[in-house]
Structures are given as C-alpha cells and as structure tokens.
Amino acid sequence: MADAITPSSPLSSAGFSDVDASNPAGPSDERHPTLYYDDGTVVLSALAQDGSRQYFRVHRSILCRHSPVIADMFALPPLLAKGSKTCIAESYDGVVHVQMPDSAEELTSFLTMFYDPLGTAYKRFDPNTPVLVEGALKLAMKYECDALRRRIIESLEADWPQTLAQWDARRAEAVILRSEHSLQLTGKVDGRYLDDRLPEPASAIRIASDHGIPSILPAAFYQLALLSTDADWDAYRANGGKHLRFGARTARWRLLDKRDLMRLVHGQKLLAGHTRAIGTDIFGLRCQRGVKGCTKARNDCWKYFQENAPNSMDDPLDILHDCMRLDTLFTDLPCAACTAEITVMAEKKRRELWRSLPAVFNLQ
C-alpha cells in the first residue's frame, strides 16, 4: 500500500508495518488512553518525543470525511499478505495499520479535534489553547482539513480581539476576574490563578506567525508589550506561585524568535511615545475659555496618572480610556467644556492608536 502513494502526497512518507496481532506492540510502545476505540477501523501510529510508538485506533470514515488527502490514501486497496486473498499484510490488532510521519503529540491534538466536535477540551480564555491546538492546526493544513482549520482559527480569534470594542469587553472581563482573585488569600479561584484564566500572548504570537493568522497579532503584541520580560510563564510557576498569587501576568518568552522580539521593542518604543503625547496633546493645553483653575486641573489630572497609576503608564489605551471618564476619577475637574473636549480627543486618539497597531509592531 505504501508504494502506491504518490510522492506528491503529504502522506508519501507514511509507512505501513506488518505487526503480529497477537503481540502488537513493543515493550516501550502503547495504545493511546483515549483515542483507541475498539470499533475503530484503522490504526495510526506515530513516534512520541521519548522515542516510543503510540497507537491510535480510530474510524476511517471520520478521517476521510474531513480530509481529502487521507480519503485519497484510503481509496487505494490494502496490500494483502503474500499468498493470501483476504489477510491484510500491514495490520495491527486486526485492522489496517498506518505509520504516520507526524509526531504522536501532533497526532493526538489532531485526532482529538475530530472526537471533540464541540471543542470542550479548549476553554475560552485558556492560556494553553495555542499550545494545545498547534499540532492540530499544523496537520489540518497538511492534510487539507479546511473546516477544522477554520474552527481552530475561530477559537483563537475569539480569545484575541480584532476590534477596539472587543478589546474593551475583554478588558472589562479581566478587571472583574482580577477583583475576584484579589479577595482570595491564595490568589486562586477554583484552583487557578488569574494568569491561568486569561490568554497568554507569546504562544498566540508563535502560532499566528507560524500558521498565517495575522488577525490576532496586534492584540497579542499589545498585551505582550505590557509585560515585563522577568514575568516568565515557567519561572513563575516553578517558585510556588509567589508572584501569581498577587495577580501577576506572564508570557512564554522562550517561544519568541528574534523577529518577534524586534517587533516588540519597536512597538514598546512607539507606545511610550503615544503615552507622552497624551500629556502634551490632551492635558498640556490651556483652557481656551480662560476659566480660572481649569489649566491647573488639567495638569493635576496628568500628574495623578503619572504618580498614582505607574503600571498603566505603559498602556496608552488604558490611560485614554480613563481620560474618557474623568468625572469618575476626580473631584477637581477642568471646566465642563474642557472635560468634554478631553473625552472627545481621548476617544479619537484611542481609535487611531488601535488602527495603527499593525504599524506600531511592524506587522504590515
């Protein structure tokens, strides 16, 4: 059967093994604990990272329904054992056996998507989603499973806003979550830290860059720009959650390549410029109506942002959001006309900044 596969097929490197069904696996090999169905019609196997071979017994009809490449492969008649008209030469546990060229980890991710159609394995805002679906996305593209590829991309896009309104909605949810965690002595809610309940940007950037999903890159890079390089996903979890219990956010910095880091540095520099511009373009102007104390109130507002909100100074979108609601933050406000002007200017600058994020991070 293997010699009948055309070289142009993505499965051309797949092999078939003649395995004795009475002793189907070697000592270091194993059947997958959840993807080995007794009524399956084909066994796929692949090598795991530890060198062992893992076996998956699944249903040929399901694979063929989703992948035209795999359907074409199974359209070929199986190779029969020498001298036999009925016994399949390449078999495992009584059914056709295909040795896949992909890793067992990738195959697990890929096959899980077919047997979990509602995506229950991947929760909304789960920071591990890009890591969990990377193998499935890679094989979905390789084996031309277009519907599966779209579903994975839609799942990723749901976690990373493509509009400013979506960003604000996610920001509001994050504020509520942070409030819930701040009330717990351990910093945990349902056994998870805040960082375990919000999307992680570095893995999102990696999967988007590697597999052509530009729609999530602006928001992911912006989120990453707000984090310290010391806030490492693995390091913070290795120290017993000392920082995580206080709501720290982290990233998988090791997943980023040189180009990602150069884009990040470029973006952080421009975002700092946007923050400085808020001080000059919005709060640095004098009251055109000459209202007594108005200009001082403007200056006091900006001073407050600088002195009492140091974390958000790296987040011009957040600062501009607060500029649109000065009446909820201050008692000594600029005059009513200036306050209204500040709101309009801040809203305009927010929209402009959001639209410019692809250029800010050199994504165009």
Side-chain angles (χ1 to χ4, degrees):
M1 184 172 173
D3 57 354
I5 298 177
T6 60
S8 61
S9 168
L11 286 175
S12 59
S13 57
F16 297 83
S17 175
D18 186 3
V19 182
D20 182 0
S22 63
N23 185 24
S28 61
D29 301 338
E30 62 179 14
R31 297 176 177 182
H32 193 278
T34 60
L35 292 168
Y36 197 94
Y37 297 93
D38 292 338
D39 64 345
T41 54
V42 63
V43 169
L44 309 181
S45 71
L47 292 176
Q49 290 181 350
D50 62 5
S52 65
R53 181 166 291 277
Q54 195 160 52
Y55 295 83
F56 308 80
R57 184 164 179 170
V58 290
H59 301 85
R60 183 185 308 188
S61 60
I62 293 179
L63 300 180
C64 294
R65 185 186 311 144
H66 291 88
S67 169
V69 174
I70 295 178
D72 287 345
M73 181 190 75
F74 283 126
L76 301 172
L79 182 65
L80 300 178
K82 187 175 181 179
S84 173
K85 295 183 179 180
T86 58
C87 183
I88 300 173
E90 300 85 8
S91 64
Y92 179 98
D93 203 11
V95 296
V96 172
H97 171 215
V98 183
Q99 290 189 20
M100 302 295 286
D102 316 294
S103 72
E105 291 77 16
E106 291 171 343
L107 204 55
T108 297
S109 179
F110 180 61
L111 295 174
T112 296
M113 301 298 284
F114 297 136
Y115 289 92
D116 182 29
L118 298 180
T120 56
Y122 310 111
K123 307 298 184 183
R124 181 170 180 264
F125 285 0
D126 187 341
N128 296 307
T129 293
V131 176
L132 294 173
V133 304
E134 197 277 336
L137 181 57
K138 177 182 176 181
L139 297 193
M141 296 174 69
K142 179 179 180 180
Y143 298 128
E144 300 179 9
C145 304
D146 295 337
L148 175 57
R149 178 180 180 273
R150 287 194 298 270
R151 183 156 65 90
I152 294 173
I153 291 176
E154 288 171 358
S155 176
L156 293 168
E157 288 179 335
D159 284 348
W160 292 100
Q162 286 93 67
T163 68
L164 184 56
Q166 291 173 351
W167 176 268
D168 287 340
R170 201 192 80 166
R171 175 187 178 277
E173 288 188 66
V175 169
I176 293 173
L177 290 177
R178 184 174 290 278
S179 176
E180 292 176 0
H181 284 265
S182 67
L183 299 176
Q184 307 300 318
L185 292 177
T186 63
K188 290 183 177 182
V189 173
D190 296 330
R192 295 186 296 167
Y193 293 111
L194 175 67
D195 200 44
D196 298 320
R197 300 179 68 190
L198 292 171
E200 187 276 307
S203 59
I205 289 170
R206 179 77 286 117
I207 196 171
S209 299
D210 290 348
H211 300 288
I213 315 174
S215 55
I216 70 173
L217 284 173
F221 265 105
Y222 190 90
Q223 180 63 51
L224 187 66
L226 306 181
L227 303 181
S228 166
T229 53
D230 294 329
D232 179 73
W233 175 277
D234 298 312
Y236 272 31
R237 282 159 177 76
N239 67 7
K242 181 175 64 174
H243 300 287
L244 295 175
R245 66 178 298 186
F246 297 109
R249 298 297 314 283
T250 68
R252 294 178 169 96
W253 292 97
R254 59 183 171 78
L255 298 182
L256 303 175
D257 60 22
K258 181 180 179 181
R259 184 179 66 166
D260 298 327
L261 294 173
M262 290 179 66
R263 286 172 165 174
L264 178 65
V265 171
H266 181 268
Q268 288 176 322
K269 181 179 179 180
L270 293 186
L271 290 180
H274 279 279
T275 298
R276 291 192 298 271
I278 296 172
T280 55
D281 298 346
I282 293 182
F283 292 105
L285 301 177
R286 291 183 174 275
C287 177
Q288 298 301 308
R289 285 150 293 277
V291 177
K292 184 178 180 180
C294 183
T295 299
K296 181 179 182 301
R298 278 181 180 254
N299 293 333
D300 288 345
C301 287
W302 182 235
K303 185 178 180 180
Y304 171 87
F305 282 123
Q306 291 176 301
E307 294 181 354
N308 298 305
N311 292 331
S312 67
M313 291 304 290
D314 297 326
D315 186 352
L317 283 177
D318 192 55
I319 298 172
L320 290 167
H321 181 270
D322 284 344
C323 291
M324 295 163 57
R325 56 187 191 97
L326 292 181
D327 58 329
T328 67
L329 300 174
F330 305 103
T331 53
D332 296 328
L333 290 168
C335 71
C338 283
T339 298
E341 287 178 359
I342 289 172
T343 299
V344 172
M345 291 175 64
E347 186 176 8
K348 179 182 178 182
K349 280 185 171 292
R350 275 189 106 228
R351 290 197 304 267
E352 292 173 348
L353 174 55
W354 180 264
R355 287 195 297 266
S356 71
L357 288 183
V360 167
F361 292 104
N362 274 338
L363 301 175
Q364 296 174 325

